C-alpha cells in the first residue's frame, strides 16, 4: 500500500497559487538600488591623477551596472582635450555603463529661460549621442542639474513636454547624501596632508549614507508597505573614487542587489505623478507626496547633516577670508 498522501487537483491548484504568490512577494521585497553618477567626466581630477580615472578603474572590478550623467562642457575644463575625449569614450564603451544627458553646462533651470535651457539639453547630447551610436547604446535619460525642474508649474510642464517630445525620460532619484559637500571637505584635508581627518570624513560619508538608506527604506515601507527599487545619486569626484566601492560593498552586505537604472524604473512607484512644482532638488519620495506638510514632516526626520555642514562652512569661511 502506498504511503503517499493523495491530494485532489483543486487543492493542488490552491497550493500552487499560494506558493507563486509567496515567491512573487518575496521577489518584490528584495532590496534593490541603481547607482547613478552625475557630472561625468571629471576632467580636472583626471588630469591631477596623471590622466587616469581612479573611479572608473575601480568600477571595472565591481561588475555592477552604473548609470552616468554627462556634462559635455567638462571635456573643455582643461587643455588636454584629446585626453578628455578619450576619457569620456572610456566611460561610454563599458558594457556596464548606461549613458545619460546632464546638460551642457550644468545650468540651473529655474534661473534659465526655457529656450536657453532646451539649448543646454540639445548641445549637451552632441558627443554623447555619437558615442551611444558607436557602442550601440540608447541615450534616453536626462537628469536635471541640481534636480531643479523649474521654479513653478509653468516651467515644470513646459520642460516635461519638451523632454517627452525628444524621447527623454527624466531620471529621478530616491536617495542622496550630499556627497558634494563631503567631497569638498575631504579634498581640503587631503590637500593639507591631513590624512587622519580625510579618513574620518570618508568614514562619516559612508556612515551617513547608510543611515540615509535606512531612513528611505523605512519611508518606503511606511508609504508603500514594501521595499521599492531605489536610485542613489552621487558624483564623479575624489571622495567617490576612494569610497564608492566600499559603499557598494556595504550595501551588498545589507542585502542590496545593484541593478540598472532601467530595471529600477520598472517599479510601479515611478509611474506616480510628480506633484512637486518648485525648484529644490528633493527626493522623488517627497515629490510623490500630496502636501508640503507631509514632505516637511518626513524631511525633519532625515539623518542629520549638521556635522559635515559645520565642517564645510568652516572651510568655506576660511577660504573666503584668504582670498
Amino acid at each position: 500500500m502506498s504511503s503517499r498522501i493523495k491530494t485532489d487537483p483543486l487543492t493542488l491548484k490552491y497550493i500552487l497559487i499560494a506558493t507563486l504568490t509567496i515567491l512573487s512577494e518575496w521577489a518584490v521585497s528584495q532590496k534593490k538600488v541603481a547607482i547613478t553618477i552625475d557630472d561625468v567626466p571629471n576632467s580636472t581630477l583626471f588630469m591631477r591623477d596623471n590622466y587616469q580615472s581612479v573611479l572608473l578603474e575601480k568600477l571595472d572590478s565591481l561588475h555592477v551596472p552604473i548609470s552616468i550623467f554627462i556634462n559635455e562642457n567638462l571635456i573643455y575644463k582643461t587643455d588636454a582635450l584629446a585626453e578628455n575625449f578619450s576619457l569620456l569614450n572610456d566611460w561610454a564603451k563599458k558594457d556596464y555603463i548606461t549613458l545619460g544627458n546632464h546638460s551642457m553646462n550644468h545650468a540651473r533651470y529655474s534661473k534659465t529661460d526655457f529656450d536657453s535651457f532646451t539649448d543646454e539639453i540639445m548641445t549637451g547630447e552632441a558627443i554623447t549621442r555619437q558615442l551611444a551610436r558607436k557602442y550601440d547604446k540608447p541615450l534616453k535619460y536626462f537628469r536635471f542639474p541640481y534636480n531643479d525642474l523649474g521654479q513653478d508649474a509653468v516651467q515644470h510642464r513646459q520642460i516635461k513636454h519638451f523632454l517627452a517630445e525628444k524621447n527623454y525620460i527624466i531620471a529621478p532619484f530616491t536617495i542622496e547624501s550630499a556627497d558634494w559637500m563631503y567631497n569638498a571637505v575631504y579634498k581640503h584635508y587631503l590637500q593639507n596632508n591631513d590624512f587622519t581627518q580625510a579618513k574620518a570624513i570618508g568614514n562619516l560619508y559612508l556612515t551617513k549614507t547608510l543611515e540615509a538608506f535606512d531612513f528611505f527604506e523605512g519611508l518606503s515601507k511606511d508609504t508603500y508597505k514594501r521595499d521599492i527599487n531605489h536610485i542613489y545619486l552621487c558624483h564623479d569626484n575624489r571622495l567617490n573614487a576612494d569610497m564608492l566601492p566600499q559603499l557598494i560593498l556595504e550595501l551588498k552586505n545589507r542585502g542590496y542587489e545593484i541593478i540598472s537604472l532601467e530595471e529600477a524604473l520598472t517599479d510601479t512607484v515611478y509611474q506616480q505623478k510628480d506633484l512637486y512644482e518648485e525648484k529644490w532638488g528633493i527626493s522623488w519620495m517627497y515629490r510623490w507626496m500630496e502636501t508640503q506638510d507631509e514632505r516637511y514632516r518626513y524631511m525633519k526626520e532625515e539623518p542629520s547633516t549638521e556635522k559635515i555642514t559645520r565642517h564645510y562652512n568652516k572651510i568655506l569661511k576660511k577660504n573666503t577670508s584668504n582670498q
Side-chain angles (χ1 to χ4, degrees):
M1 181 176 178
S2 173
S3 61
R4 292 180 182 176
I5 298 173
K6 293 183 178 180
T7 307
D8 64 86
L10 185 60
T11 302
L12 281 172
K13 179 181 177 181
Y14 285 131
I15 291 172
L16 179 60
I17 291 172
T19 302
L20 290 173
T21 300
I22 292 168
L23 289 173
S24 175
E25 289 177 351
W26 178 83
V28 169
S29 70
Q30 296 306 287
K31 296 194 291 187
K32 299 180 180 181
V33 63
I35 306 294
T36 65
I37 304 176
D38 288 5
D39 300 349
V40 176
N42 190 331
S43 54
T44 303
L45 182 59
F46 181 59
M47 180 181 66
R48 290 174 181 167
D49 287 342
N50 297 315
Y51 299 105
Q52 66 175 124
S53 173
V54 176
L55 177 56
L56 183 56
E57 289 176 5
K58 289 185 178 180
L59 292 175
D60 281 345
S61 67
L62 295 179
H63 308 293
V64 297
I66 300 287
S67 295
I68 63 171
F69 291 89
I70 297 164
N71 298 118
E72 291 190 4
N73 192 50
L74 291 172
I75 293 170
Y76 310 100
K77 193 87 170 179
T78 73
D79 293 332
L81 297 185
E83 289 85 352
N84 295 342
F85 273 91
S86 179
L87 170 63
L88 184 55
N89 182 77
D90 285 345
W91 278 97
K93 72 183 182 183
K94 304 294 185 181
D95 291 340
Y96 64 86
I97 294 286
T98 296
L99 302 175
N101 184 345
H102 199 36
S103 84
M104 183 66 176
N105 297 290
H106 206 269
R108 183 182 282 277
Y109 176 40
S110 65
K111 294 184 177 179
T112 310
D113 64 80
F114 176 76
D115 289 338
S116 296
F117 193 75
T118 55
D119 187 57
E120 278 280 318
I121 295 170
M122 299 315 295
T123 57
E125 70 164 32
I127 299 165
T128 309
R129 193 159 298 277
Q130 289 182 40
L131 290 171
R133 283 195 290 265
K134 179 179 178 180
Y135 295 111
D136 193 25
K137 292 184 175 186
L139 178 61
K140 60 182 180 180
Y141 299 113
F142 178 79
R143 176 168 278 160
F144 285 83
Y146 308 99
N147 285 284
D148 177 346
L149 276 64
Q151 64 181 344
D152 54 28
V154 173
Q155 275 202 326
H156 277 242
R157 291 166 192 174
Q158 277 184 317
I159 202 64
K160 287 178 179 178
H161 179 70
F162 174 83
L163 288 168
E165 283 188 330
K166 298 299 180 182
N167 296 313
Y168 270 117
I169 298 167
I170 296 172
F173 76 94
T174 55
I175 304 172
E176 63 91 26
S177 55
D179 69 303
W180 60 272
M181 187 158 49
Y182 286 93
N183 180 63
V185 178
Y186 185 72
K187 284 198 307 179
H188 169 80
Y189 287 123
L190 288 178
Q191 289 164 1
N192 286 277
N193 297 318
D194 191 340
F195 302 112
T196 300
Q197 278 284 15
K199 182 178 180 180
I201 294 300
N203 289 334
L204 181 63
Y205 167 60
L206 285 178
T207 298
K208 300 305 286 188
T209 300
L210 292 170
E211 285 181 12
F213 270 86
D214 289 340
F215 173 79
F216 283 103
E217 280 176 31
L219 180 54
S220 70
K221 287 173 182 174
D222 283 349
T223 308
Y224 305 108
K225 311 306 177 189
R226 65 178 177 89
D227 288 307
I228 68 167
N229 291 350
H230 282 291
I231 300 171
Y232 178 63
L233 182 160
C234 61
H235 297 82
D236 182 3
N237 55 32
R238 171 69 69 195
L239 176 71
N240 283 308
D242 293 342
M243 306 305 297
L244 186 58
Q246 181 64 33
L247 175 60
I248 290 173
L249 178 61
E250 293 286 349
L251 289 172
K252 286 183 173 182
N253 288 340
R254 287 170 171 239
Y256 271 94
E257 178 186 353
I258 312 302
I259 61 174
S260 67
L261 177 59
E262 183 174 34
E263 182 179 346
L265 292 175
T266 62
D267 193 313
T268 55
V269 295
Y270 295 102
Q271 297 172 16
Q272 297 176 95
K273 185 178 180 181
D274 177 1
L275 300 172
Y276 180 79
E277 294 180 325
E278 297 185 32
K279 65 181 181 179
W280 307 111
I282 61 175
S283 166
W284 261 250
M285 293 288 291
Y286 298 133
R287 290 176 182 269
W288 296 320
M289 293 178 179
E290 293 188 359
T291 67
Q292 287 285 52
D293 286 346
E294 187 179 9
R295 293 184 189 111
Y296 290 150
R297 177 165 63 86
Y298 281 109
M299 285 179 181
K300 288 177 182 178
E301 296 175 4
E302 279 194 37
S304 173
T305 58
E306 181 182 354
K307 188 171 183 178
I308 193 61
T309 301
R310 190 167 59 247
H311 273 276
Y312 178 77
N313 288 336
K314 182 179 178 180
I315 290 168
L316 195 65
K317 183 178 180 180
K318 182 179 179 180
N319 290 341
T320 302
S321 65
N322 290 337
Q323 290 177 355

